[in-house]
Amino acid sequence: MAEPMTFDAIPQAPNLRTGLVNTLIAQIESGDLAPGQRLPTEQEIVAATGVSRTVVREALAALRARGLITTRQGLGAFVAKDPMPKTFSVLPDDLESIDEVLRVLELRMGR
Amino acid sequence: MAEPMTFDAIPQAPNLRTGLVNTLIAQIESGDLAPGQRLPTEQEIVAATGVSRTVVREALAALRARGLITTRQGLGAFVAKDPMPKTFSVLPDDLESIDEVLRVLELRMGR
DNA sequence: TAATATTTGTCCGTATGTATG
DNA sequence: CCATACATACGGACAAATATT
């Protein structure tokens, strides 16, 4: 497999999830992870960082909620083609995933 | 072994979290859970529903993301006084279900 | 067509930390 | 100090989707 990418600590982060989120955002914005490019798998991130898959998944969920990545079951996570739409404003800091909300609304409409 | 726990409230939910979210939303909108009122504790919800705490926490996170509740560490979760006029940005991950998104927006505008 | 490997999705149980009362 | 209750983190297990063989 490809050599594990390095995830620097960012010890200023209040928790592991935020640290990983900041790390990935930095890599996306720096172009280290280019638009359309696939991210390392969750397992690879786990191996590279040492954090649990829970933390990795929460971090990916946060990035997905911000539109920075998309995830597809069976395929992986990909850097969004058009990151930073800049239309998201004061989303709550702990917003887990907006598609959850969408799913809820879908269901409540009784499709 | 525990019996296959069933969600009596909204059985059409695709998963436990969504079912719990829908149940709580229904209780909030029906006034069964009034604005400012504290929700049952996570443990109480666990006991009442039989789902894991993970599911409960994810459901509460979804409600919090939608602005329906606020949570305070050490205190509990409370029904929001003002349902937040949240900025609802449609993100790439959700575009595959554009019909649902449109219906969601219609729902939001129609109430 | 079918089987298999890969990868994300979901669910569960547990432990520890932190804030409030 | 102690009890309550949410926040964070770990690990495991299985399901579902995808691509490949």
Side-chain angles (χ1 to χ4, degrees):
Chain A
M1 97 176 72
E3 60 194 84
M5 49 196 314
T6 60
F7 288 91
D8 292 335
I10 307 191
Q12 288 81 8
N15 54 52
L16 297 178
R17 179 196 60 219
T18 304
L20 181 54
V21 165
N22 292 336
T23 300
L24 292 175
I25 286 181
Q27 296 191 3
I28 290 174
E29 291 185 343
S30 71
D32 194 6
L33 289 174
Q37 182 178 347
R38 216 198 72 176
L39 274 68
T41 68
E42 296 177 355
Q43 288 300 334
E44 287 173 340
I45 297 178
V46 165
T49 60
V51 301
S52 70
R53 192 190 170 200
T54 302
V55 172
V56 172
R57 285 190 52 76
E58 286 182 355
L60 294 181
L63 294 177
R64 186 176 52 209
R66 286 165 173 76
L68 286 177
I69 67 172
T70 61
T71 57
R72 292 180 56 192
Q73 189 170 358
L75 286 182
F78 301 83
V79 180
K81 293 284 188 354
D82 188 12
M84 289 300 155
K86 219 54 184 171
T87 47
F88 72 92
S89 47
V90 284
L91 292 174
D93 180 66
D94 45 13
L95 175 60
E96 284 289 352
S97 68
I98 208 152
D99 58 11
E100 284 180 2
V101 178
L102 287 175
R103 265 203 302 274
V104 165
L105 294 178
E106 289 172 21
L107 245 93
R108 300 195 61 240
M109 300 185 66
R111 44 103 177 236
Chain B
M1 192 50 198
E3 62 274 11
M5 103 105 228
T6 58
F7 234 66
D8 44 283
I10 302 179
Q12 57 185 240
N15 56 51
L16 297 178
R17 175 191 57 240
T18 303
L20 180 55
V21 166
N22 292 336
T23 300
L24 292 174
I25 286 181
Q27 293 189 6
I28 289 176
E29 292 188 343
S30 70
D32 193 6
L33 290 173
Q37 182 178 346
R38 215 199 71 178
L39 274 70
T41 69
E42 294 179 356
Q43 288 301 332
E44 285 173 341
I45 297 178
V46 165
T49 61
V51 301
S52 71
R53 190 183 166 202
T54 301
V55 172
V56 172
R57 283 182 52 75
E58 288 180 352
L60 294 181
L63 293 177
R64 187 174 53 214
R66 202 192 167 190
L68 284 178
I69 67 171
T70 59
T71 55
R72 292 179 55 193
Q73 190 170 357
L75 284 183
F78 300 83
V79 180
K81 295 219 173 61
D82 297 311
M84 196 171 70
K86 61 189 310 312
T87 60
F88 210 89
S89 60
V90 177
L91 301 170
D93 190 33
D94 310 310
L95 287 183
E96 53 187 0
S97 57
I98 190 67
D99 288 336
E100 279 81 3
V101 171
L102 289 177
R103 281 186 290 168
V104 162
L105 295 178
E106 288 173 7
L107 172 68
R108 290 179 50 78
M109 296 174 65
R111 282 193 307 170

